[in-house]
Amino acid sequence: MRNKCVANHVMKRDNQFYYVRHIPSDLTHHYSVQRICFSLKTKSDSTAVRFSKSITQRLDDYWFDID
């Protein structure tokens, strides 16, 4: 069962949290997929939110420097 969680880019599936984010349309030529999805390896919602914020910030910084 899939559920959206409290934070952006966090999805809960089978009591495990995942980071899910679509690739911005102007950067899709750098990727072979349209979205990023991977396990945050936690069952805690507060930990998942904290990890999500950190990953989002790092991706935004990286994507800003690409183009």
Side-chain angles (χ1 to χ4, degrees):
M1 187 81 152
R2 287 188 203 175
N3 301 359
K4 269 291 191 188
C5 190
V6 266
N8 289 336
H9 312 302
V10 176
M11 177 182 67
K12 185 175 184 181
R13 184 176 189 181
D14 299 328
N15 288 331
Q16 191 79 345
F17 287 93
Y18 292 82
Y19 184 84
V20 180
R21 187 165 181 191
H22 287 274
I23 308 287
S25 58
D26 58 337
L27 298 175
T28 54
H29 62 278
H30 291 282
Y31 292 87
S32 61
V33 295
Q34 293 183 348
R35 70 182 173 122
I36 297 171
C37 180
F38 56 89
S39 173
L40 294 173
K41 298 179 180 156
T42 185
K43 293 182 179 184
S44 165
D45 56 351
S46 61
T47 303
V49 168
R50 192 167 33 97
F51 286 172
S52 156
K53 288 179 181 180
S54 173
I55 294 164
T56 298
Q57 182 63 51
R58 290 188 311 188
L59 267 176
D60 287 343
D61 292 344
Y62 175 70
W63 285 341
F64 183 75
D65 288 339
I66 284 181
D67 276 346

